[in-house]
Amino acid sequence: MGYYLAVNTTGEIPKLVQLDSWLAPYSGAISRRGEMAKSFRRRITAGRMSLPEFSRAHQFFGLHKLSSSWILRERAPNATRITVVGDFTGWKEDRRFDLVRRSQETWDLSLPLQALKHGDHYKLRMYWMEGSQEHSGDRIPSFCTRVVQDEETKLFSAQVWDPSDTYRWRHEGFRVPPRAPLIYEAHVGMAQESPKVGSYREFTQNVLPRIRDGGYNTVQLMAVQEHPYYGSFGYQVSNFFAPSSRFGTPEDLKELVDTAHGYGIAVIMDLVHSHAVKNEVEGLSKFDGSYDLYFHRGGRGEHPAWNTRLFDYGKTETLHFLLSNCRYWLDEFQFDGFRFDGVTSMIYHDHGLGSAVSSYDHYFCGNVDEDAVAYLTLANELIHEVRPDAITVAEEVSGMPGLATSQADGGVGFDYRLAMGVPDYWIKLLKHVRDEDWNVSQLWHELTNRRADEKTINYVESHDQALVGDKTTMFWLADSEMYWKMRVSDESLIIDRAVALHKMLRLITLGLAGQGYLNFIGNEFGHPEWVDFPREGNQWSYHYARRQWSLRDNPELKYKFLADFDSAMMHLASSARLLEDQWAYKHFEHVEDRLLVFSRAGLLFIFNFDPNRSYEGREIQAHAGRYRFALSTDSAQFGGFGRVDPAVSYETSADSRLKLYIPSRSAIVLRREGR
């Protein structure tokens, strides 16, 4: 592979390089990537329109109701004939429903208003030539906004969606306040307790109030885009413009977003632009008989690990489709941004499979798909032009510099990146290292090891750590003891340890986080067991694809302690504006005693990870002032032993020292007066 080590020919050094001198040899590559995105923009807009104007393909293609007719448009350059079949044709071909080719790639069909009615099901019957042979296949329109599955046949079809009452927004114009995102990652289908697929309405009524009361200010919804296989967790998308109908109607989803906005909660969605499902009837693969309408040709068009199709981000058609998809969700459903899934897979030709990052060369070698980098740059530009307050998050594991740096400074333009190494570190620690051997100096390093020029979102565990094949943090800590010893009256050293560390891990991860924090639904109260969607291997059971809220709500069970602590922690972070103070200041660490003390935003965090030793009258350095109790993992109300008196205040000595009682395996947060 060749390496791009060219000097920036413009003579300008990107700010990204100024902030990180190790990037100096790659200044030319960084500048070239920025120029490549600009070149893409010039090509697709032809200097005649803005990027938001270009990103309106969904308003042209697809089925639209006009004042006196219906119009259906489709992009299918390789097709030789397209006709519509559906309820209104008896699912037989009718020449009156043939589309007319209007250009090399565009087809359309105009129908009188009475030809279609709300709820009708339909598909496109696509014809194309392979050699001298004509072939055909049924397809769902590529810009379809409503797709449903027949309960008996299990087949998917497009649906005419023209309800008599369109949704009326109650909180139109909601804007995300300038604050650190405290993200509640959730999946609508598994958000209820009954063994079934949950609905948007159930989530709105039952879960959103919990998120609000829990102190979270952002909801991240998974599996919104339609996908044929429920067990894919929503990551094998077939219909990019259709909200999944298995959860309810588009109006139900709008009500969910609108209700969250009424609570002051922003809503972002997992956006899957890294790949597409291989299904041909339901998805885009071989849509018009060709394999490369939106995807790469040959082997490059297939993901070797995910068995899915891979977009060609250099094609104008693909850019038109994906950028319009970003615009659609912002406009139609008033989402407040996106978590871009699978960014590592997008930006490397090998999709990040089997290649270790050993130096900065990795980020600028021939393995980087610079078309994908250019697309992501344009996507961020578009999103922030349409919604300047929008939140964009990159799920990227290799640590490529500049992803969450502004485009003006030489970056791709994401607002945040996920600190994916943090949960991996916690799992590794829980699996392989005894509590007695935890090193607080290493803890500090791992939890603060991030780029100064990029905002990061830290977390103990997301859905990745909860999936079958792994364990949640609480399950690693307590294992089978959770089944037998979680009553408040039960005595168990294993559960005592698990409850204490579950709180401590979350508190230190939040306290040392970058500029955001994330939790996966139910993990805040130590949800037992893993996540496993219905599939053949589990006899299509919903038992593990749900959240047992009754455990959290039962006053006789210890799950309430974890939930109540998490809520107190979130509210404290918000009131102190914790994550808006960019860095924590380390006052004290003692590896042998397993003590770590740091301050941030006027809060003083004191951690004692020693499982056995408490420290009486321990002196620690702190900023001068008087401190009052703010939070303790050892409080009885959170399932602790109540060894810290919340009524006691503390004042530093002349040499700025505090004298404290620090219980074993616990953490205390003090608030400095005047802050």
Side-chain angles (χ1 to χ4, degrees), residues 207-418:
V207 183
L208 276 180
R210 294 180 182 273
I211 298 171
R212 174 200 60 198
D213 296 344
Y216 290 87
N217 60 34
T218 306
V219 174
Q220 177 181 302
L221 289 183
M222 307 174 63
V224 175
Q225 295 168 293
E226 191 60 87
H227 46 288
Y229 179 44
Y230 186 50
S232 75
F233 228 143
Y235 288 123
Q236 293 195 3
V237 173
S238 52
N239 312 106
F240 286 77
F241 291 84
S244 181
S245 61
R246 57 171 56 84
F247 307 135
T249 68
E251 287 69 35
D252 293 340
L253 177 57
K254 291 176 181 179
E255 183 181 23
L256 188 163
V257 175
D258 202 14
T259 303
H261 288 168
Y263 292 151
I265 296 173
V267 187
I268 64 176
M269 64 175 276
D270 272 7
L271 192 68
V272 183
H273 283 181
S274 48
H275 60 143
V277 74
K278 266 189 173 180
N279 301 37
E280 295 177 359
V281 175
E282 295 88 359
L284 296 173
S285 186
K286 206 178 181 182
F287 179 74
D288 62 351
S290 66
Y291 285 100
D292 61 345
L293 178 56
Y294 298 108
F295 308 109
H296 286 291
R297 290 176 178 267
R300 191 179 173 191
E302 299 188 10
H303 198 292
W306 298 343
N307 194 31
T308 50
R309 298 304 312 280
L310 294 173
F311 289 107
D312 182 348
Y313 302 103
K315 292 175 68 76
T316 298
E317 295 83 358
T318 305
L319 294 171
H320 202 199
F321 184 85
L322 294 180
L323 290 172
S324 298
N325 193 235
C326 296
R327 178 75 189 269
Y328 168 76
W329 293 106
L330 293 173
D331 287 353
E332 184 67 22
F333 292 92
Q334 299 193 16
F335 277 101
D336 303 301
F338 307 100
R339 167 198 179 269
F340 277 72
D341 176 68
V343 170
T344 303
S345 177
M346 297 173 71
I347 61 178
Y348 295 108
H349 292 304
D350 68 358
H351 314 297
L353 301 173
S355 58
V357 180
S358 57
S359 73
Y360 272 30
D361 287 347
H362 181 89
Y363 305 124
F364 301 97
C365 66
N367 186 33
V368 176
D369 185 342
E370 296 196 340
D371 286 350
V373 175
Y375 163 67
L376 291 170
T377 305
L378 290 181
N380 275 283
E381 181 180 340
L382 166 71
I383 292 164
H384 291 110
E385 189 167 342
V386 173
R387 281 282 303 273
D389 61 310
I391 300 169
T392 58
V393 183
E395 188 225 17
E396 204 285 305
V397 72
S398 79
M400 176 178 279
L403 279 182
T405 303
S406 72
Q407 295 168 26
D409 292 341
V412 174
F414 282 100
D415 296 299
Y416 302 90
R417 67 185 311 150
L418 292 177

Side-chain angles (χ1 to χ4, degrees), residues 8 11 49 143 193 288-289 367 436 457 612 645 658:
N8 187 337
M49 64 185 80
F143 287 81
E193 187 150 357
D288 62 351
N367 186 33
E436 295 88 334
I457 293 172
N612 303 307
D645 186 352
L658 287 175

Side-chain angles (χ1 to χ4, degrees), residues 44 49-64 71-75 105-107 141-145 240-241 294 315-329 331 382 386:
I44 62 181
M49 64 185 80
S50 67
L51 200 57
E53 289 172 326
F54 171 78
S55 305
R56 295 179 181 271
H58 54 288
Q59 297 177 359
F60 180 79
F61 293 109
L63 180 66
H64 299 279
I71 184 73
L72 173 65
R73 298 189 185 94
E74 192 54 76
R75 173 185 283 143
E105 67 170 27
T106 305
W107 301 70
S142 57
F143 287 81
C144 184
T145 59
F240 286 77
F241 291 84
Y294 298 108
K315 292 175 68 76
T316 298
E317 295 83 358
T318 305
L319 294 171
H320 202 199
F321 184 85
L322 294 180
L323 290 172
S324 298
N325 193 235
C326 296
R327 178 75 189 269
Y328 168 76
W329 293 106
D331 287 353
L382 166 71
V386 173

Side-chain angles (χ1 to χ4, degrees), residues 488 550-558 560-561:
V488 173
S550 60
L551 298 176
R552 184 262 178 270
D553 296 338
N554 190 332
E556 297 184 3
L557 298 179
K558 295 180 180 179
K560 67 174 184 178
F561 296 140

